[in-house]
């Protein structure tokens, strides 16, 4: 791993107004350590039955491309232009107004013009013009066209893995051009040759063969859950059970696997468990569909479909009525934005209905999944939960809208409603950095690799900047979020830019505040930190 510059050094030379000396087509990407992810190991692709380039790394001068690589890529472009109307439109309608130019966190953090969304899309648009249009072939660069070369392929790899598919640019584009969709298609296209990143593909293999990103075996999941239940018993005095692989349960609960084992996701998991016990929910967790996240989505559509379908097959096997989804970002986007196109409605489950309030979640009639924040907000609105928000008084909390749940699905109010019920101190970050204008964590879409740390810190800078503002002005010490990638990457980002700010799941704070029947007096929160006024007791 490369040496990461200190925060005050990182943005020293950043000049967003600098005009490059050469035309963008003449500037080749430099694969500097910290700015790209390592190539996928061939065995990973072989296991998944995918093409690969053998042993290689992006910084190799000559990539081991197959002889027919160009034909395969051109055929792939043609195929996608026919299949995806959105892609064809996005390639046609950009008017170069520049409204998106300064909206990408990677441009703001790197100053690299090719990270402007308008230019990122131009990386493929110029090839379509150069290879398929008579006008483009005739006038070449004057018409914004260029031929497909190995250098172009390297550039695609570099810049389409410097886009977190966050869609912030699309909010500001007057034509709704969605560069995230372009990135998704471009990574899918690179897969035609087996060009992919290791950090993102290993979770796909594990999810495909075992059921979750890091390959947790059923007994390990069970043991981890028992360990967390031990902590709950110590903190609350309650002995709670979590049903696992229970056939005929009413609800299948699917959450990102990081909630089973990784700090701080485990505290969110403890919050879910306390909530379900509080309301006596008839649910089960599956050790086979033990992953809400879908890293296939960041790589290739066919892989995403496979991983998605697996969860529904498990729901069928367990004969549940519907699915409750934990705090995950891209799981939510995949399930809501792509599900029906891929599979249409699954009719062997019921339209989700809360067994506690009777609310029917009509919007989930096709995919049969409800987000935990919708579920909990509904319980609160019906007065079904008892809280002591003072148990979160050691926390001054702000909320990070995850790109996928906010821009992707419009979940803006539910988490805020929950937080305001379980915490006495809630502060919003500046308006142009939240809700649909939220800034990405900087490491989404499978870019959470250690070798990519410099770009992660650069890309996360706009988010961190807004946190720093509320930290200094209001003493914010916690940022809540509803995405497992955020919970995994934001602690590193905060440590780098805004030390002292912790990351929490919304349901961790719910778990702290819930007044459980039969519990002992609590002296700590779910992380064993003393509650306000209990410092002496702990
Ligand atoms: S989707 Fe996000 S990361 Fe990608 S170009 Fe747009 S703003 Fe940048
Ligand atoms: S805002 Fe839209 S139309 Fe304008 S340059 Fe960006 S992508 Fe093109």
């Amino acid at each position: 791993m490369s040496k990461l510059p200190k925060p005050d050094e990182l943005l020293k030379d950043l000049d967003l107004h600098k005009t490059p000396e050469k035309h963008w087509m003449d500037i080749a990407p430099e694969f500097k350590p910290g700015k790209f992810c390592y190539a996928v190991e061939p065995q990973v692709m072989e296991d998944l039955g995918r093409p690969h380039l053998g042993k290689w790394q992006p910084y190799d001068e000559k990539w081991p491309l197959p002889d027919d690589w160009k034909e395969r890529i051109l055929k792939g472009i043609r195929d996608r232009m026919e299949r995806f109307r959105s892609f064809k439109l996005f390639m046609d309608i950009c008017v170069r107004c520049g409204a998106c130019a300064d909206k990408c966190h990677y441009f703001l953090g790197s100053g690299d013009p090719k990270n402007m969304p308008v230019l990122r899309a131009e990386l493929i648009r110029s090839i379509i013009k150069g290879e398929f249009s008579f006008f483009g072939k005739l006038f070449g660069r004057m018409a914004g066209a260029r031929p497909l070369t190995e250098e172009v392929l390297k550039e695609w790899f570099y810049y389409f893995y410097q886009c977190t598919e966050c869609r912030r640019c699309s909010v500001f584009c007057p034509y709704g051009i969605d560069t995230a969709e372009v990135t998704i298609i471009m990574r899918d296209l690179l897969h035609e040759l087996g060009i992919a990143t290791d950090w993102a593909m290993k979770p796909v293999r594990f999810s495909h063969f075992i059921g979750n990103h890091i390959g947790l075996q059923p007994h390990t999941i069970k043991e981890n859950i028992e360990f967390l239940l031990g902590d709950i018993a110590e903190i609350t005095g309650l002995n709670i059970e979590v049903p696992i692989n229970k056939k005929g349960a009413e609800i299948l609960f699917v959450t990102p696997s990081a909630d089973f084992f990784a700090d701080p996701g485990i505290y969110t998991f403890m919050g879910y468990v306390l909530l379900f016990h509080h309301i006596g929910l008839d649910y089960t967790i599956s050790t086979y569909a033990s992953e809400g996240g879908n890293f296939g989505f960041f790589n290739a559509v066919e892989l995403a479909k496979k991983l998605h379908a697996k969860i529904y097959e498990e729901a069928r096997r367990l004969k549940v009525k519907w699915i409750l989804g934990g705090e995950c970002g891209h799981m939510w986007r995949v399930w809501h934005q792509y599900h029906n196109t891929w599979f249409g409605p699954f009719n062997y489950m019921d339209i989700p209905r809360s067994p506690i309030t009777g609310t029917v979640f009509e919007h989930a009639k096709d995919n049969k999944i409800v987000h935990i924040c919708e579920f909990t907000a509904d319980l609160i609105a019906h007065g079904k939960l008892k809280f002591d928000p003072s148990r979160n008084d050691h926390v001054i909390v702000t909320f990070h809208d995850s790109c996928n749940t906010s821009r992707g699905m419009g979940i803006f109010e539910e988490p805020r409603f929950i937080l305001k019920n379980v915490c006495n101190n809630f502060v919003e970050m500046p308006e142009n950095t939240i809700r649909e204008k939220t800034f990405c964590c900087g490491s989404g879409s499978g870019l959470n690799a250690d070798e990519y740390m410099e770009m992660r810190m650069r890309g996360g800078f706009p988010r961190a900047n807004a946190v720093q503002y509320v930290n200094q002005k209001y003493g914010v010490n916690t940022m809540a979020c509803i995405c497992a990638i955020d919970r995994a990457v934001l602690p590193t980002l905060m440590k780098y830019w805004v030390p002292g700010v912790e990351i929490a799941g919304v349901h961790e704070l719910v778990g702290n505040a819930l007044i459980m029947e039969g519990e002992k007096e609590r002296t700590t929160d779910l992380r064993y930190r003393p509650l306000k006024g209990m410092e002496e007791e702990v």
Side-chain angles (χ1 to χ4, degrees):
M1 201 171 76
S2 65
K3 194 175 168 300
L4 182 63
K6 295 215 161 34
D8 55 350
E9 293 164 1
L10 195 75
L11 304 178
K12 215 167 50 195
D13 302 327
L14 188 67
D15 181 358
L16 301 179
H17 304 288
K18 194 170 151 199
T19 306
E21 280 160 20
K22 289 195 221 165
H23 190 279
W24 71 265
M25 288 189 196
D26 297 326
I27 303 173
E30 259 186 276
F31 287 90
K32 287 191 190 150
K35 294 190 166 185
F36 67 94
C37 295
Y38 296 149
V40 64
E41 278 179 22
Q43 192 60 49
V44 173
M45 299 299 260
E46 258 171 43
D47 292 347
L48 288 163
R50 312 282 297 177
H52 63 82
L53 295 185
K55 279 265 176 213
W56 67 288
Q57 281 302 341
Y59 49 74
D60 292 345
E61 202 176 319
K62 187 92 191 124
W63 284 11
L65 297 172
D67 293 341
D68 63 345
W69 74 268
K70 199 168 165 180
E71 291 79 49
R72 277 158 66 177
I73 291 289
L74 292 177
K75 182 173 172 295
I77 295 174
R78 223 176 278 120
D79 169 58
R80 283 159 184 81
M81 292 281 277
E82 278 166 22
R83 267 199 293 152
F84 305 124
R85 185 162 162 70
S86 55
F87 184 47
K88 192 167 176 353
L89 266 177
F90 294 161
M91 291 300 105
D92 283 344
I93 63 174
C94 174
V95 291
R96 317 293 197 282
C97 69
C100 62
D102 59 351
K103 304 304 184 294
C104 175
H105 51 288
Y106 273 137
F107 172 64
L108 295 175
S110 70
D112 185 340
K114 289 192 198 178
N115 274 324
M116 290 180 184
V118 55
L119 192 39
R120 202 189 302 280
E122 204 64 19
L123 303 181
I124 167 68
R125 197 179 279 119
S126 55
I127 300 302
I128 293 173
K129 281 185 193 153
E131 296 286 349
F132 299 112
S133 127
F134 173 73
F135 185 74
K137 277 184 180 157
L138 198 64
F139 292 100
R141 189 182 284 209
M142 266 168 56
R146 59 182 180 157
L148 179 60
T149 62
E150 190 176 331
E151 281 311 310
V152 167
L153 215 55
K154 288 182 175 174
E155 185 188 57
W156 283 354
F157 176 84
Y158 194 74
Y159 288 105
F160 288 109
Y161 283 96
Q162 281 193 8
C163 164
T164 47
E165 303 176 358
C166 78
R167 302 180 72 213
R168 189 170 196 266
C169 47
S170 71
V171 170
F172 296 89
C173 173
Y175 294 93
I177 293 176
D178 187 345
T179 309
E181 286 290 327
V182 176
T183 295
I184 290 168
I185 287 170
M186 290 307 292
R187 291 193 190 176
D188 194 68
L189 186 62
L190 289 169
H191 259 252
E192 297 277 346
L193 302 177
I195 296 171
T197 63
D198 201 54
W199 200 90
M201 283 307 291
K202 277 193 177 137
V204 173
R205 178 176 60 177
F206 278 134
S207 291
H208 179 64
F209 289 108
I210 299 176
N212 55 70
H213 287 163
I214 64 157
L216 294 172
Q217 300 283 347
H219 62 277
T220 315
I221 294 176
K222 188 166 176 290
E223 280 164 14
N224 278 16
I225 290 175
E226 279 163 6
F227 180 80
L228 298 175
L229 293 176
D231 281 358
I232 288 179
E234 206 174 314
I235 294 162
T236 67
L238 296 172
N239 289 309
I240 293 177
E241 282 183 22
V242 170
I244 298 175
N245 299 330
K246 178 182 151 191
K247 273 199 175 175
E250 183 169 2
I251 293 163
L252 170 63
F253 179 61
V254 178
T255 199
S257 60
D259 289 352
F260 297 130
F261 72 92
D263 186 331
I266 47 173
Y267 309 118
T268 310
F269 184 81
M270 290 158 82
Y272 305 142
V273 168
L274 284 164
L275 174 73
F276 299 158
H277 186 77
H278 187 88
I279 58 175
L281 194 69
D282 178 17
Y283 75 105
T284 186
I285 283 170
S286 162
T287 53
Y288 304 101
S290 48
E291 183 57 72
N294 186 331
F295 272 45
F297 175 60
F298 307 138
N299 287 281
V301 174
E302 284 311 311
L303 291 171
K305 281 171 76 174
K306 261 188 181 182
L307 301 185
H308 181 76
K310 230 181 135 175
I311 293 172
Y312 284 88
E313 283 310 310
E314 181 64 348
R316 191 205 296 266
R317 186 183 77 87
L318 293 173
K319 296 189 170 48
V320 299
K321 289 185 179 162
W322 54 278
I323 304 170
L324 184 61
E327 293 187 8
C328 184
H330 69 277
M331 166 182 89
W332 201 242
R333 180 154 150 206
V334 168
W335 290 30
H336 271 266
Q337 291 192 332
Y338 298 89
H339 170 92
N340 279 354
T341 318
W342 290 348
F343 297 109
F346 282 116
N347 289 326
Y348 52 84
M349 282 186 274
D350 293 352
I351 297 175
R353 177 182 170 278
S354 170
I356 315 301
T357 66
T359 298
V360 177
F361 297 95
E362 284 286 344
H363 63 285
K365 68 178 187 305
D366 288 339
N367 63 17
K368 313 292 193 285
I369 177 170
V370 173
H371 192 281
I372 185 89
C373 283
E374 295 173 323
F375 184 71
T376 305
D378 176 65
L379 291 167
I380 296 172
H382 284 86
K384 299 292 182 189
L385 304 180
K386 284 187 215 140
F387 292 125
D388 176 1
S390 75
R391 287 193 199 146
N392 281 318
D393 276 356
H394 56 309
V395 164
I396 302 174
V397 67
T398 190
F399 181 66
H400 165 62
D401 294 89
S402 304
C403 302
N404 289 309
T405 48
S406 54
R407 271 192 290 277
M409 272 317 298
I411 300 185
F412 301 124
E413 300 313 324
E414 292 88 342
R416 289 179 166 81
F417 175 64
I418 297 169
L419 285 172
K420 285 174 190 167
N421 272 276
V422 302
C423 300
N424 287 321
N425 309 303
F426 174 77
V427 175
E428 286 282 14
M429 285 182 280
E431 198 52 44
N432 61 343
T433 75
I434 57 170
R435 293 192 165 85
E436 74 275 8
K437 292 180 192 150
T438 185
F439 272 114
C440 179
C441 62
S443 309
S445 81
L447 299 181
N448 187 13
D450 280 356
E451 71 264 21
Y452 190 61
M453 197 56 86
E454 180 177 330
M455 278 313 285
R456 287 172 52 190
M457 296 304 105
R458 285 180 181 277
F461 174 68
R463 171 75 298 156
N465 195 27
V467 182
Q468 191 178 47
Y469 175 77
V470 288
N471 169 258
Q472 288 176 353
K473 191 158 182 186
Y474 304 106
V476 162
N477 60 11
T478 302
M479 177 155 61
C481 59
I482 53 172
C483 167
I485 288 186
D486 288 339
R487 282 194 291 280
V489 304
L490 287 172
T492 312
L493 190 78
M494 289 302 109
K495 215 166 153 192
Y496 188 78
W497 290 115
V498 204
V501 173
E502 306 274 357
I503 304 302
V506 165
H507 280 76
E508 173 185 343
L509 302 174
V510 169
N512 282 342
L514 270 176
I515 301 171
M516 306 289 291
E517 204 179 309
E519 71 181 351
K520 67 177 190 186
E521 188 188 11
R522 294 201 212 176
T523 54
T524 73
D525 66 5
L526 295 176
R527 301 187 187 202
Y528 287 103
R529 295 178 301 193
L531 301 183
K532 204 165 185 184
M534 289 288 181
E535 293 82 357
E536 296 292 305
E537 310 291 322
V538 177

